[in-house]
Amino acid sequence: TITKPFIVYPDRTGTHKEIVHQETSGPMIKVVNHKAYVISSYVEHRLSSKTIRTVAIVFRSEQVQYYCLLCCNGINISAAARLDIHSDHFEFDYGTADITCQVPTTCTTPAYVAITSKTHEWGRSVWNIQSFQPVGNQQPRTENFAYAFTVCISVMYDYMNVLGLVQAMEMFKLLGVQKVAIYKTSCYPDTQKVLDYYVRQGFVDIIPWTVSSYIKVARGWKKSDSPGELEFFGQIVALNDCVYRYMYESQYVALQDLDELILPLKEDNWTRLIPQLEKIYQHHAGFEFENNVFPISLSSNKKPENTPGFWKQFKGENILPHVYRIPNDPNVFNNFKVIVNPRLVFKATVHGVLDSASGTVRVDPKIARMYHIKRYPSKNVRANSVIRDTRLWDYVDKLIPAVSEVLRQALNIQ
Ligand SMILES: *[C@@H]1O[C@H](CO)[C@@H](O)[C@H](O)[C@H]1NC(C)=O
Ligand SMILES: *[C@@H]1O[C@H](CO)[C@@H](O)[C@H](O)[C@H]1NC(C)=O
């Protein structure tokens, strides 16, 4: 195996050793005889003929004619596939790909699919029942979604920031989010307890992410800085899966990280913000929110005074004191994250979408923007230019008691 399954680390009290929880099985099937992996398959209803789209990871130099083996009402049918490798591979050997097959008219319900490179090998040993997986999104939907907003957290690896996790989750709730999907590779025991708590509540779905057990994943974007065969833990693959997984479950999906908060400045929550944006921009596909860095090295010692002392015993960063923003230059390109209507997206990427029905529009940062509280090289901080921005504190009256309650319940603190 490529990843170390166990890492020992001192626990909260410093007296015990902790072991990282590593996911061992998840949605990842190797294509027989090829350097290709299937994550999940969905019915694609938006093309002129009914298609099955499989989110996959392929070795880019290996161009193969794939086939879908469809299980339709108990009958096996083979259909030739098209391979489409996404352009945002950052020159790594492996990249995100769509493997698509038109569903033959004789197949009314393509319930299961397996991806192969051979067409007629039924009954041979290579095709076993494990190669097949259920096809999602059988029924399209245009209204009555289970959730208004789903947040897709595409990377969770060796995660130990308990306080940051609970603060993010409770902020998401205040913003109107009803589901958080976490593509999880590994985390520490206290983090796992918090995740278990939210899973029991029905607020979090864990998608076990085992890509690093099959492929040497990079820990970053730049091939020169981060050795490996696939970009940042396969983040783009996870984002694409998330868009399709929640396409008919969620009215909108937000593609962001746990240390990022998209905050409206005039409204209280996304529930109010998004209809406003749709009206202002006459656009319904998706919105880009400008990234603003709040360095962890800068903190206010004034407010909020009511931060409970017992928070200090948890690993991780309390986001509340970090209210100094590095100004963005309006004349240069500023990065962003998106909230999109998943039914209008074909290909997602880290900052926005690669392929969609009508693109995304940039939101005026005076209406809403992204608060990104992170470590930031202090040499890049010009102290006299930072802007004090306490928008986050407008939420603390609700946020602080909610966070305390979760910490108590999830971690059994008196
Ligand atoms: C379809 O293929 C699978 C896998 O090879 C096999 O187990 C099953 O018996 C086949 N079904 C039919 C009806 O041929
Ligand atoms: C969003 O904010 C409005 C007030 O601005 C409030 O009435 C509504 O209940 C909030 N929605 C959610 C989901 O929190």
Side-chain angles (χ1 to χ4, degrees), residues 261-401:
L261 291 170
I262 293 167
L263 299 184
L265 301 182
K266 300 188 170 100
E267 312 287 339
D268 289 338
N269 50 42
W270 294 358
T271 321
R272 287 291 177 94
L273 172 70
I274 297 295
Q276 278 289 329
L277 296 179
E278 291 183 339
K279 213 156 54 190
I280 294 169
Y281 294 102
Q282 288 297 306
H283 184 88
H284 300 271
F287 299 98
E288 306 173 356
F289 300 91
E290 200 170 287
N291 186 44
N292 287 268
V293 172
F294 288 69
I296 279 179
S297 57
L298 300 179
S299 54
S300 158
N301 47 16
K302 288 222 179 67
K303 251 191 104 184
E305 300 100 355
N306 47 345
T307 306
F310 84 97
W311 286 11
K312 286 205 183 67
Q313 65 185 291
F314 302 103
K315 278 205 199 84
E317 200 60 51
N318 177 12
I319 60 174
L320 297 180
H322 307 297
V323 289
Y324 294 100
R325 166 159 62 88
I326 309 243
N328 281 346
D329 181 348
N331 301 315
V332 302
F333 174 80
N334 289 303
N335 233 328
F336 60 89
K337 292 288 173 78
V338 289
I339 297 178
V340 292
N341 171 345
R343 292 163 300 289
L344 297 179
V345 175
F346 291 96
K347 292 176 185 166
T349 186
V350 181
H351 304 281
V353 294
L354 268 191
D355 182 9
S356 69
S358 52
T360 51
V361 293
R362 182 65 69 106
V363 173
D364 182 340
K366 289 197 274 306
I367 301 175
R369 56 181 166 230
M370 194 166 75
Y371 289 63
H372 189 180
I373 299 162
K374 61 179 257 181
R375 288 182 203 292
Y376 190 74
S378 48
K379 65 173 168 42
N380 296 354
V381 180
R382 293 215 329 277
N384 57 358
S385 74
V386 295
I387 298 164
R388 189 178 162 88
D389 177 342
T390 58
R391 175 63 176 137
L392 186 56
W393 288 355
D394 297 335
Y395 294 91
V396 297
D397 288 348
K398 287 181 180 153
L399 180 66
I400 288 176

Side-chain angles (χ1 to χ4, degrees), residues 46-66:
R46 302 168 296 175
L47 305 176
S48 51
S49 59
K50 193 168 176 178
T51 297
I52 288 184
R53 181 188 298 269
T54 296
V55 177
I57 304 171
V58 300
F59 198 73
R60 292 189 300 112
S61 60
E62 192 186 71
Q63 298 271 345
V64 182
Q65 173 64 56
Y66 289 109

Side-chain angles (χ1 to χ4, degrees), residues 69 71 74-76 121-124 127-129 132:
L69 298 183
C71 179
I75 297 163
N76 290 325
E121 290 246 16
W122 299 109
R124 300 281 177 83
W127 312 125
N128 58 41
I129 214 74
F132 282 84

